Amino acid sequence: MVLEIVLMWSGVTLYALGSVLFGAGAAFGRQALLRLAMVISLAGLAPHSVAIALRWIRVDHGPYLGFYEVVSSYAWFTVVVLALIAWRVPKLSSLGALLMPVSFLMLAAAMFTPKSGMEITGTLASYWLTIHVTLAKLSYAGFIASFVLAVAYLIRDKGWARGALAEVLEKLPSQEILDDLSFRFAALGFILLGSMIVAGAIWANEAWGRYWAWDPIETWSLISWLVYAGYLHARLTLGWRGAKSAWFAALALPVVLFALIGVPLAYNSIHGVYLLGY
Amino acid sequence: MIGLGPRLGRLLRSRKLAFWLIVVLSIWSLLGTLFPQGGRSPAGFQSKLADIPELVSLADAIGLDKAFSAPLFLAAVGLLFLSTIVCAWDRTRLAIRDWRSHGRVTPAAAERVIARSAFSIPVRIDAEAARVLEDVALGFEAVGLGAKRGEVLVEGSVAPWRLLASPVFHWSLVVLMALFAIGGLTRFEGLIGVPVGTSLPDVPESYRTSEAGPLFSGHTGLSIAVDDLVVGFREGGVNRGPAPTVTVSGDRGVLASQRVYPNHPLRHGPIMVHMEDYGLAFDMVLADSDGTEVVRELFLVDFDEAQPSGTVPTAVALERADGKGNLSATVELWPTTAERTSSEIRLKVSDEDSRTLVDARPVEGERTRVPGSGVSLAVENVRLYARLGLVNDWTVAPIYVAFAVMVVAVSAALLMPYRVARAKISGEGQDRELHVWVRRSADEAVFVQRVQEAVSRSLAGRAASDEEGAKHGS
């Protein structure tokens, strides 16, 4: 446990340093700083990954239960997604100036919450848990990426950026490309969210004998899926592009975030266990 | 009435209708989560809204207390269902039409390559048209398109089966919505309490609570037996909770038998038996003054931490043999072990004036005489019982299949869309231009950029190798 804590704090420190370097690199337009920032951030991913693995072995389940584990895993996914984006579209690496601080803050916040492991109970003891949670995390990553690209589009489109931010945004691909990439990530998130809902329904049937009961988090997951179905419909059949599409993608994310974090806090739902504990 | 059909068809075909139905269903579902559904107690912040009577009245008036079976919700879903059928039909026709024309370029389509090109690239004056088109074909292949080379036009495309992804996705949505509706009408769900070592038939009287759809086909009459029950069953290092061995039998003998616990239900055809909870059971035996057993009745006892005994007291009504009013008996079981597999018994009998006639702690099987009644009571056969949930729903398996088809189809539709690109050269001499047309798609900007980069690289590669060749030649 001590080793796990030390490794986590190492990850927090390196993420903090990476955030600062990304910010400086973006502000001053220094590619070398951005590259260093990515290296430092990936270096932070190493102790973070080892800490997650050690905890996984110790508590005998993945990072699914409780605020500490869940938020730590989201911070991990955010860094991995940033690395993948920067690898595939190097011009987008300056997005680290937005994503790394988010990752740092998430992991830092998790470090101040209780870290005791929660036991897997009979209902949770199923391979569907891993499938359901993994699909959830990947879908949220897709929606967050779509959101960030949509916001970048809108800031540039409306001319809201000044100074260093404007210079950073100038280096991003064209508006058309940002628009299409935002759609692609939203589409990916939609597929994964739909798959997550399906996995959850099958698991609920195996565990409780019913695949749907309009539980608040089930309903909010469906609402999230419908919102993005509306977004895809608007784009694919109504021809919404550009600013319209970007606004939709930007406003859709809060619905997903509420489903993830707000619902367990606002309702006494059986699903709240994954964030709040037993 | 004339023209109603075509107008209805146009309405259902409307893309805006589908969009607005999705918006309405999203908002209605959101409102539904603000209020407890189906008589449940308010959860979390719902309690705050429940304290505002005007809001509660308004919600009840518009059906938000049963939001997901309210007429407005069902009407919107029904309309979306019809709209999806029409949409799926249209998409299927278009997909078949496009599949039939796959790989064939009409004169009009050839003209469109120049008139509506996505991008154009000047052609070097010394480049042969055939070699330029070959380079374009290589560029198409580099982005995953299968190239078909012609004398004046090159076409790159993906496999035509991708055209079916969107129709299949929409048809799977239609099937799912139909199955959800049919399942709701034909489903049975009930709780049955079966003491260890006994069985109950799947008939209405066996269930403590149950809910059956209006078109439920009827009970099977199969026997549901609990052979044993392990409290705190461990498997794979995990405490699975109380886990009974359940056996389902019919005329032909044992049909299915297994240990049942969460994520490990017993299945037989459309029937699924899952474990809810466990409790205690006992037989209350009433004997007359000769000791002859007159009545033997089974009672199920649930646990209740709020009670001093930890179990819910069981009330039994008795008639006095002397006809002087009725007696009421209460049996309380006091579990003596952590797993509650053995219990002490407390028996109290009172008359109609609430005077205590008996307050005893008999052992299991011990007869206790009730003064003035001519009877004796005994608590026998204290054992565990399993509270099982039984679901009879034939639509579950087809729903799983439809889920799988939906996920695969939507993935293909969004991630592997049908793509076609065509290239043609216009002009003569130094005015020649290569035009590339790309079929419209939701993310065409990204794809057009990839095609342009690939074609440009291919052309540049040829130009570079030609220059090398020219240098060595000279």
Side-chain angles (χ1 to χ4, degrees):
Chain A
M1 181 82 166
V2 171
L3 178 60
E4 179 192 319
I5 303 291
V6 168
L7 287 169
M8 281 293 200
W9 278 115
S10 304
V12 171
T13 306
L14 289 168
Y15 287 171
L17 187 55
S19 301
V20 169
L21 289 171
F22 265 117
F28 298 113
R30 298 282 173 86
Q31 286 301 317
L33 277 179
L34 289 174
R35 279 194 293 272
L36 181 61
M38 184 57 72
V39 168
I40 298 285
S41 299
L42 289 175
L45 199 60
H48 192 183
S49 303
V50 173
I52 288 176
L54 286 175
R55 185 181 177 86
W56 195 318
I57 294 167
R58 182 167 61 82
V59 302
D60 204 26
H61 62 76
Y64 317 133
L65 301 178
F67 191 89
Y68 169 67
E69 290 181 7
V70 169
V71 175
S72 162
S73 67
Y74 275 111
W76 187 90
F77 265 100
T78 305
V79 178
V80 168
V81 166
L82 170 64
L84 286 172
I85 291 174
W87 171 53
R88 293 283 297 177
V89 189
K91 275 189 185 178
L92 292 177
S93 60
S94 52
L95 284 174
L98 294 171
L99 289 177
M100 273 320 296
V102 169
S103 209
F104 157 66
L105 287 171
M106 279 200 286
L107 190 59
M111 292 306 292
F112 289 101
T113 59
K115 297 174 194 54
S116 51
M118 288 164 55
E119 192 185 350
I120 289 273
T121 63
T123 304
L124 295 175
S126 167
Y127 52 80
W128 286 109
L129 171 62
T130 308
I131 295 170
H132 180 67
V133 168
T134 303
L135 289 169
K137 292 183 195 295
L138 291 174
S139 76
Y140 295 145
F143 293 139
I144 290 172
S146 172
F147 170 83
V148 169
L149 290 162
V151 166
Y153 179 101
L154 288 169
I155 292 175
R156 220 162 58 174
D157 187 54
K158 303 296 179 191
W160 288 333
R162 297 281 180 271
L165 180 59
E167 286 180 26
V168 166
L169 291 179
E170 269 314 299
K171 294 186 173 62
L172 295 177
S174 70
Q175 290 293 79
E176 276 184 328
I177 299 295
L178 285 187
D179 182 38
D180 278 1
L181 284 176
S182 178
F183 157 75
R184 278 190 168 190
F185 277 107
L188 184 63
F190 177 77
I191 293 166
L192 293 166
L193 184 65
S195 304
M196 180 211 81
I197 291 171
V198 166
I202 295 173
W203 183 20
N205 197 49
E206 298 298 296
W208 301 319
R210 88 307 179 268
Y211 53 80
W212 196 267
W214 296 106
D215 172 81
I217 206 166
E218 289 172 355
T219 308
W220 271 95
S221 298
L222 181 64
I223 292 169
S224 304
W225 194 76
L226 286 174
V227 166
Y228 278 95
Y231 166 78
L232 294 176
H233 233 278
R235 187 170 179 100
L236 293 166
T237 64
L238 299 179
W240 284 22
R241 293 262 205 268
K244 253 183 175 177
S245 181
W247 273 114
F248 205 140
L251 293 173
L253 183 70
V255 176
V256 170
L257 291 179
F258 182 76
L260 170 67
I261 297 169
V263 171
L265 295 173
Y267 298 89
N268 291 334
S269 164
I270 193 166
H271 279 92
V273 159
Y274 82 86
L275 193 64
L276 303 174
Y278 301 119
Chain B
M1 291 297 289
I2 295 171
L4 189 61
R7 278 158 69 181
L8 183 61
R10 272 198 300 277
L11 173 67
L12 291 176
R13 206 162 253 120
S14 163
R15 293 158 183 184
K16 283 190 181 174
L17 173 68
F19 175 76
W20 285 112
L21 283 173
I22 289 171
V23 170
V24 164
L25 286 171
S26 301
I27 294 173
W28 182 263
S29 299
L30 189 158
L31 292 175
T33 64
L34 297 178
F35 303 95
Q37 295 296 307
R40 290 180 203 154
S41 305
F45 87 95
Q46 288 175 342
S47 308
K48 292 192 172 53
L49 298 181
D51 290 339
I52 308 172
E54 295 83 6
L55 198 60
V56 172
S57 299
L58 177 64
D60 289 353
I62 59 177
L64 279 175
D65 59 328
K66 293 189 180 85
F68 305 108
S69 54
L72 177 61
F73 180 79
L74 294 177
V77 171
L79 203 50
L80 184 64
F81 174 69
L82 294 174
S83 171
T84 309
I85 290 176
V86 172
C87 174
W89 178 255
D90 285 347
R91 284 169 187 270
T92 305
R93 283 192 307 114
L94 287 170
I96 293 172
R97 182 201 71 186
D98 288 345
W99 191 317
R100 285 191 179 135
S101 63
H102 174 78
R104 289 186 298 171
V105 183
T106 62
E111 284 307 310
R112 268 200 298 276
V113 174
I114 296 171
R116 295 192 201 165
S117 61
F119 62 90
S120 305
I121 300 174
V123 176
R124 285 182 12 243
I125 191 166
D126 59 337
E128 286 179 31
R131 289 177 74 179
V132 170
L133 292 179
E134 175 61 28
D135 292 338
V136 172
L138 292 173
F140 283 172
E141 285 167 358
V143 295
L145 302 176
K148 199 169 162 188
R149 292 143 170 91
E151 285 186 16
V152 296
L153 185 143
V154 170
E155 181 182 77
S157 64
V158 293
W161 64 260
R162 295 190 190 193
L163 288 162
L164 299 178
S166 178
V168 169
F169 167 63
H170 285 84
W171 282 119
S172 71
L173 286 179
V174 170
V175 168
L176 272 171
M177 284 194 269
L179 286 172
F180 291 149
I182 294 169
L185 294 171
T186 59
R187 180 184 172 94
F188 171 84
E189 193 172 346
L191 288 179
I192 185 171
V194 185
V196 173
T198 65
S199 67
L200 284 174
D202 174 27
V203 294
E205 300 76 45
S206 296
Y207 293 91
R208 300 174 86 179
T209 61
S210 66
E211 206 175 308
L215 299 180
F216 172 53
S217 59
H219 293 273
T220 61
L222 295 173
S223 163
I224 314 293
V226 171
D227 304 326
D228 65 58
L229 195 159
V230 175
V231 178
F233 176 67
R234 292 195 78 89
E235 189 187 60
V238 176
N239 186 341
R240 308 282 174 167
T245 300
V246 177
T247 300
V248 175
S249 309
D251 293 337
R252 296 183 197 169
V254 173
L255 300 171
S257 182
Q258 70 174 67
R259 194 167 295 283
V260 173
Y261 46 87
N263 298 304
H264 199 250
L266 179 148
R267 284 193 164 84
H268 175 68
I271 289 177
M272 185 170 77
V273 180
H274 59 97
M275 181 59 179
E276 286 280 330
D277 206 342
Y278 79 109
L280 294 169
F282 66 89
D283 293 336
M284 173 70 96
V285 178
L286 189 147
D288 63 17
S289 52
D290 298 336
T292 306
E293 187 176 303
V294 175
V295 173
R296 178 179 286 267
E297 192 173 339
L298 169 70
F299 289 92
L300 302 180
V301 178
D302 292 329
F303 301 118
D304 183 355
E305 298 303 324
Q307 299 289 337
S309 61
T311 63
V312 177
T314 303
V316 183
L318 303 168
E319 270 192 34
R320 290 176 71 129
D322 58 10
K324 293 179 183 172
N326 290 332
L327 303 174
S328 58
T330 304
V331 176
E332 270 190 285
L333 297 179
W334 292 68
T336 56
T337 62
E339 291 189 339
R340 299 178 274 200
T341 48
S342 66
S343 305
E344 290 179 354
I345 302 163
R346 185 175 179 186
L347 175 64
K348 279 180 82 171
V349 182
S350 309
D351 64 13
E352 68 272 13
D353 296 323
S354 300
R355 280 190 298 236
T356 301
L357 302 176
V358 171
D359 188 352
R361 283 172 171 71
V363 296
E364 196 174 320
E366 179 185 343
R367 297 262 170 105
T368 303
R369 295 192 66 81
V370 180
S373 70
V375 301
S376 62
L377 296 173
V379 174
E380 293 183 3
N381 217 1
V382 178
R383 65 254 195 232
L384 298 176
Y385 91 90
R387 192 184 320 140
L388 305 172
L390 189 143
V391 174
N392 188 333
D393 186 352
W394 68 270
T395 63
V396 171
I399 283 173
Y400 282 9
V401 172
F403 273 155
V405 170
M406 183 193 77
V407 168
V408 171
V410 76
S411 302
L414 290 174
L415 301 179
M416 303 166 69
Y418 181 66
R419 298 209 194 269
V420 180
R422 295 183 184 122
K424 196 174 172 185
I425 298 174
S426 71
E428 292 187 2
Q430 62 187 14
D431 294 328
R432 288 187 307 169
E433 262 196 312
L434 172 72
H435 300 270
V436 177
W437 168 89
V438 177
R439 178 185 158 110
R440 280 192 67 89
S441 65
D443 59 347
E444 65 197 52
V446 170
F447 185 64
V448 164
Q449 186 185 50
R450 285 184 58 212
V451 171
Q452 187 169 9
E453 286 171 357
V455 168
S456 299
R457 261 197 309 273
S458 185
L459 291 171
R462 170 82 70 179
S465 75
D466 283 353
E467 273 186 36
E468 274 299 309
K471 271 190 200 164
H472 286 130
S474 65

